Amino acid sequence: MAEEEQRAPAAVVFDTLGIAYEQAFAASGPHLASLSWLVDHLMPGSRVLDVGSGTGRPTAEALARAGHRVLGVDVSPVMVELAARQVPDAEFKVADIRELDLTKGSFEAVCVYFSLLQMSRDEQRDVLASLARALRPGGLAVLATVPVDVADVETEFMGQPVRVSSFSPDDFARLATDAGFSVLSEAHATFVPAHADAGPEPHLFLYCRRTAH
């Protein structure tokens, strides 16, 4: 079997995209606004988990600059290498969040920016439940996705073939609630990535807090 066929499909895609992904999405106002919300609401020195941390920008960079202790996790070695170089004040790890053993209550915040889309619906449910457990009670989370009602559909993303699964806005909010998050507010936007092979995308950002129990 070829080496690429043994790796997570998302790792292959994002190894290929590299810095182009950052350049395509850097101007997302709702993404930057959600980071400002986290910075405004976290205590100094909070421990933050960035799931699908990509190149480290803007998420890990903004949080580390604000003095938080950031752990970025990504399946793409290329992305992790870029992130470590661009955001030296954060920690980055090549790992699949579906397989990572997270200590209960070990983070004050979790960020999930579009990193669930190449997982099955059941995997997304399991990952969100795991992330809720990894948050201390009352901890914060921003969960972002492309809110379309699809399951294991073949499509193209920035010129790369991908298989995606997602949920309608209401179902994604319900998924977060069932996992152990309280949804405080939602932000909806249509974003056009700065890339020749990308078209308009609906984006949903859930601002969440882990329920106390």
Side-chain angles (χ1 to χ4, degrees), residues 15-96:
D15 276 355
T16 302
L17 291 177
I19 200 71
Y21 180 80
E22 175 187 322
Q23 295 166 344
F25 285 85
S28 171
H31 188 153
L32 298 175
S34 69
L35 290 172
S36 294
W37 177 78
L38 281 173
V39 168
D40 289 345
H41 287 82
L42 287 172
M43 295 293 292
S46 292
R47 191 157 186 245
V48 183
L49 176 63
D50 181 10
V51 180
S53 47
T55 67
R57 292 175 175 166
T59 304
E61 183 177 65
L63 294 166
R65 186 188 296 127
H68 301 300
R69 297 170 294 147
V70 182
L71 171 62
V73 175
D74 203 293
V75 294
S76 164
V78 169
M79 290 295 203
V80 168
E81 182 181 355
L82 284 166
R85 186 164 64 245
Q86 295 192 137
V87 192
D89 292 334
E91 177 188 356
F92 298 95
K93 176 184 295 188
V94 179
D96 190 326

